[in-house]
Amino acid sequence: MKAIALDMDGTVLNDHGQMSSRLKNVFRRMHDKGIKVIFATGRTQSEILNVTPKEVPLAGYVAASGMSVFIDDRLVSEKTFKKETVIEILEHARENEIYYETFTAQTPAHTLKADKEYSLRDFSLDTPETLKPYEEILMNETAESNVQWVDSIDYSQILKVFFISKDLKKIDRWHDYLENRKDDLGCALYKTSRHNCEVMQAGEDKATGLKVLLDHYNIDFKDVHAFGDSMNDLSMFDACGKSTAMKGSPDEILNAADDVTAFSNDEYGVADYLETHYL
């Protein structure tokens, strides 16, 4: 293989959203062997850089599930929503008191201050066992953030809107609404945990974003090994020469992969796999 393409949350990162020093060392060794390391994630650039140590030798990264692509932290491809679509989605989110985060290619998450009160009510609910640790960390950091809450948003530059709630019934109702409306809105809908979902522009995914990077490096999909754990990784699994699902992934992901890691993301699963099969 000439490259590895890796999801982040649930794959490269542990359940607290952290990357182990062991994995950082493995990535350096893969790079030294001439194998390019690429991240392909639902995270946007700022979220990627916040958790990726500078010493990790990334050849590039696909952000927001394919909506933006970066080489050497330089934006080379971007797909954004129509302004009217974002306005409609956020109006309905507000009516249903759904906490949201809007993202552009190169700025952190933003939420309107006008929607802070109901959002914090949701964050203050008892924490259910189904909420992942990194999701609770996100909520706690958001509540205290000085940059998250803004007076206005430039709707013309949005490439992803993320939603989360501690209330499973509420987030499930919201997901069902988006599922019924996604074709009219021109959206792709992803759900990476029981408590969240996100929308991006339809027709773009991790595979289309990854192709931009592979064309730049003159690498064929057959020479790429993909790793992931969620439904937004399936496009990579279909396109790449080999695919590996993380232990504990949903059955749909396990059934689509060529093999499965022996250990989960919290048990150094990717590091163990790469050491065993490549190093």
Side-chain angles (χ1 to χ4, degrees):
M1 292 293 175
K2 296 180 180 179
I4 53 173
L6 308 107
D7 172 52
M8 295 189 74
D9 292 286
T11 303
V12 167
L13 304 177
N14 64 24
D15 284 344
H16 289 84
Q18 301 166 332
M19 187 185 305
S20 70
S21 57
R22 176 182 175 186
L23 186 54
K24 288 184 287 186
N25 180 57
V26 167
F27 285 152
R28 287 195 296 269
R29 292 168 64 192
M30 294 289 288
H31 173 76
D32 291 344
K33 285 177 65 72
I35 299 174
K36 296 192 180 300
V37 178
I38 297 168
F39 288 167
T41 173
R43 288 176 175 248
T44 56
Q45 184 191 37
S46 61
E47 296 175 302
I48 294 169
L49 298 180
N50 281 343
V51 296
T52 304
K54 292 182 179 180
E55 61 265 31
V56 174
L58 283 179
Y61 45 92
V62 177
S65 295
M67 299 303 108
S68 57
V69 181
F70 294 82
I71 298 173
D72 296 326
D73 294 334
R74 175 175 56 89
L75 180 66
V76 297
S77 177
E78 179 183 20
K79 307 292 182 182
T80 59
F81 279 121
K82 293 180 180 178
K83 178 179 179 179
E84 296 77 13
T85 300
V86 180
I87 292 173
E88 180 177 349
I89 290 172
L90 295 190
E91 284 179 349
H92 284 281
R94 185 171 299 112
E95 290 172 3
N96 290 275
E97 295 194 346
I98 301 291
Y99 169 73
Y100 63 86
E101 297 178 347
T102 61
F103 293 88
T104 69
Q106 296 178 286
T107 58
H110 284 148
T111 310
L112 287 174
K113 289 180 181 177
D115 300 316
K116 186 174 183 177
E117 183 177 350
Y118 76 72
S119 298
L120 295 187
R121 282 202 302 270
D122 189 300
F123 293 176
S124 68
L125 296 174
D126 291 340
T127 301
E129 293 182 358
T130 45
L131 192 75
K132 293 186 176 182
Y134 75 84
E135 293 176 314
E136 184 165 25
I137 292 171
L138 179 152
M139 291 179 176
N140 292 336
E141 291 180 345
T142 296
E144 301 298 327
S145 174
N146 293 321
V147 297
Q148 173 85 34
W149 308 97
V150 295
D151 294 317
S152 63
I153 291 172
D154 182 357
Y155 298 113
S156 66
Q157 299 297 315
I158 304 301
L159 52 73
K160 169 180 138 177
V161 187
F162 172 81
F163 311 94
I164 190 169
S165 174
K166 286 187 175 182
D167 185 334
L168 277 177
K169 290 182 179 179
K170 183 164 72 170
I171 197 68
D172 285 346
R173 286 194 301 269
W174 180 243
H175 178 272
D176 290 345
Y177 165 78
L178 292 173
E179 179 67 36
N180 291 330
R181 293 278 292 131
K182 66 180 183 180
D183 291 339
D184 295 334
L185 294 168
C187 296
L189 174 64
Y190 297 110
K191 190 175 181 68
T192 58
S193 87
R194 292 288 308 281
H195 289 270
N196 75 54
C197 60
E198 55 191 13
V199 289
M200 275 77 73
Q201 186 179 359
E204 305 293 331
D205 52 36
K206 288 188 178 183
T208 61
L210 185 56
K211 187 177 187 303
V212 175
L213 280 174
L214 299 183
D215 287 347
H216 174 80
Y217 289 113
N218 196 27
I219 296 174
D220 194 280
F221 269 111
K222 66 180 176 62
D223 296 316
V224 181
H225 189 163
F227 293 78
D229 75 310
S230 299
M231 61 182 290
N232 63 350
D233 298 315
L234 291 178
S235 64
M236 287 200 304
F237 283 16
D238 289 340
C240 292
K242 187 171 183 179
S243 58
T244 297
M246 298 302 297
K247 176 186 175 183
S249 298
D251 289 343
E252 181 182 9
I253 312 303
L254 297 174
N255 294 335
D258 294 316
D259 62 1
V260 181
T261 61
F263 302 97
S264 72
N265 64 308
D266 250 3
E267 302 167 324
Y268 310 107
V270 171
D272 174 83
Y273 188 100
L274 294 177
E275 288 170 343
T276 301
H277 292 84
Y278 285 94
L279 303 175

